[in-house]
Amino acid sequence: MHKTNANGHYNPFPNFSFTGPLRPVYPLSPKRIVPAHIPRPDYSEDGNPKSERKFIGRNNIKALDKKEQEGMRKACRIGREVLDIVAREVRPGVTTDYLDEVTHNATIARNVSGISKNKKLPLIKLQAYPSPLNYVHFPKSVCTSVNEVICHGIPDQRVLVDGDILNIDVTVYHGGFHGDLNETYYVGAKASADPDIVRLVETTRECLDQAILLVKPGMLFRDIGGVIEKHAKSRGCGVVKTYCGHGINQLFHTVPNVPHYAKNKAVGIAKPGMCFTIEPMITLGTYKDKTWPDDWTSVTQDGSKTAQFEHTLMVTETRVEVLTARLPDSPGGPIPIPETRVEG
């Protein structure tokens, strides 16, 4: 049995051996409603991504045609808009459940603005579906990963505090395509003043940036991990091996697999029209992970902090297009690493 506090909150796994100080704070809020008219992926009702399962074991990487490429651009643009809206709400004192509510409401309210070709009738406004919701039964509309959580954190009633770091992983489904991205944010001034935390977050950001520079037609997907691991290790950080980037298009997750560590055996060569994510998960301590009993939340085995950044990319005829690129007014962004003070 769990012990409920005065607020009605409780830890659902009181006998679990947690690796760090973070604890889940339940109850979870009820499942959020998506209006019936919004198009949704095939797993939205039963949690089973049937379309994806047809491709398990296959290595044929899809190259999108021009119309499909435009569909990906729209979905990814909406994803960026939603992430920025949510990130502006990050501050000490808010719960990750509140950020889930913001994500959900912003997603179902999105549309691609404009007018039809005859310039008389408004375009049909197709709102977006929050891709994580009920994907393999994930209960929320966004993943919120705090401190030692590597990925797939479930939004709950825990209040963010000054000194936390928070990864927000947004994916939206619009017009038949998924757009996927995430960033790690400093919560309060204490986090952005901590040299180790900033070293971790900025190293992770740079790992993604350096990996993107490698992408062009003819690139081997297995080569991405070497660039990431080299930079992470140069800063004294580890690279999580359990989770990887992935193909994305009409399917949320598909081939290719894109590992973030060196000497991997990923299959495939980049060709124009292919879409995939790079999303390195970097740690201050061990790269090894452990999963909470919720079957989603992945944490570092030593409780050390971890950060992640992700973009959805499309290979062009000559280089790469970052479909989820930051906008001029996107919140967050790089900061310098504070100098370590030496007492004496």
Side-chain angles (χ1 to χ4, degrees):
M1 293 181 64
H2 54 256
K3 180 184 285 187
T4 303
N5 65 20
N7 294 323
H9 296 161
Y10 61 92
N11 172 4
F13 316 119
N15 298 320
F16 180 69
S17 180
F18 291 92
T19 64
L22 192 72
R23 299 291 183 273
V25 182
Y26 278 43
L28 299 182
S29 58
K31 181 181 177 181
R32 304 193 193 281
I33 303 301
V34 177
H37 68 276
I38 294 180
R40 57 201 67 208
D42 63 0
Y43 55 80
S44 64
E45 296 300 325
D46 64 6
N48 179 21
K50 295 174 283 293
S51 298
E52 289 185 9
R53 303 208 190 279
K54 295 178 182 178
F55 287 85
I56 292 176
R58 300 183 187 180
N59 291 319
N60 294 328
I61 304 171
K62 182 174 183 175
L64 303 184
D65 62 29
K66 297 298 183 182
K67 183 177 180 181
E68 291 172 320
Q69 291 175 25
E70 188 56 32
M72 279 297 294
R73 289 189 181 97
K74 290 178 180 178
C76 289
R77 187 172 77 232
I78 292 171
R80 168 51 66 184
E81 291 174 359
V82 171
L83 178 60
D84 287 355
I85 288 169
V86 181
R88 292 187 180 100
E89 299 298 316
V90 173
R91 64 181 67 88
V94 306
T95 65
T96 50
D97 182 70
Y98 168 70
L99 298 178
D100 178 71
E101 179 182 10
V102 173
T103 303
H104 187 89
N105 291 340
T107 302
I108 65 175
R110 293 296 93 189
N111 64 77
V112 179
S113 60
I115 58 174
S116 59
K117 290 183 179 180
N118 63 18
K119 298 184 179 180
K120 292 181 180 180
L121 300 174
L123 281 177
I124 297 173
K125 295 181 178 180
L126 295 176
Q127 290 99 328
Y129 179 94
S131 300
L133 186 61
N134 211 34
Y135 178 79
V136 196
H137 307 291
F138 188 81
K140 293 297 175 182
S141 296
V142 67
C143 296
T144 52
S145 300
V146 180
N147 296 340
E148 67 263 33
V149 179
I150 296 168
C151 59
H152 304 156
I154 297 174
D156 63 14
Q157 308 303 327
R158 183 187 179 274
V159 175
L160 296 176
V161 300
D162 190 5
D164 284 341
I165 54 174
L166 169 69
N167 180 272
I168 303 174
D169 193 340
V170 165
T171 312
V172 303
Y173 180 75
H174 175 87
F177 296 88
H178 296 271
D180 189 4
L181 73 163
N182 74 55
E183 294 193 25
T184 299
Y185 301 92
Y186 302 101
V187 181
K190 186 177 178 181
S192 58
D194 185 306
D196 285 334
I197 289 177
V198 178
R199 171 169 59 89
L200 168 66
V201 174
E202 298 309 321
T203 296
T204 310
R205 191 193 313 270
E206 292 164 7
C207 281
L208 175 57
D209 291 343
Q210 291 189 19
I212 290 172
L213 293 176
L214 192 68
V215 181
K216 63 181 179 180
M219 176 203 70
L220 301 177
F221 287 109
R222 66 171 181 252
D223 288 345
I224 290 172
V227 172
I228 292 170
E229 185 169 316
K230 180 179 180 180
H231 187 61
K233 285 188 172 180
S234 76
R235 294 280 185 81
C237 296
V239 180
V240 173
K241 297 183 178 181
T242 302
Y243 304 98
C244 60
H246 54 89
I248 185 168
N249 38 60
Q250 291 95 335
L251 303 178
F252 191 174
H253 298 91
T254 186
V255 291
N257 290 326
V258 185
H260 304 118
Y261 56 91
K263 298 180 181 179
N264 64 78
K265 297 180 180 180
V267 175
I269 300 173
K271 297 179 181 179
M274 290 181 177
C275 290
F276 61 94
T277 71
I278 303 177
E279 45 186 296
M281 288 148 270
I282 308 300
T283 68
L284 280 177
T286 183
Y287 68 87
K288 296 181 179 180
D289 59 280
K290 181 177 182 178
T291 302
W292 283 4
D294 59 23
D295 293 329
W296 280 106
T297 307
S298 178
V299 296
T300 53
Q301 285 190 8
D302 60 2
S304 62
K305 284 186 170 62
T306 176
Q308 183 185 19
F309 287 84
E310 174 186 23
H311 278 307
T312 293
L313 311 170
M314 181 165 65
V315 183
T316 67
E317 294 295 331
T318 56
R319 295 296 306 184
V320 62
E321 182 177 346
V322 182
L323 300 179
T324 50
R326 289 173 56 82
L327 304 172
D329 63 343
S330 292
I335 65 172
I337 299 175
E339 294 184 8
T340 302
R341 293 182 180 179
V342 179
E343 301 293 336

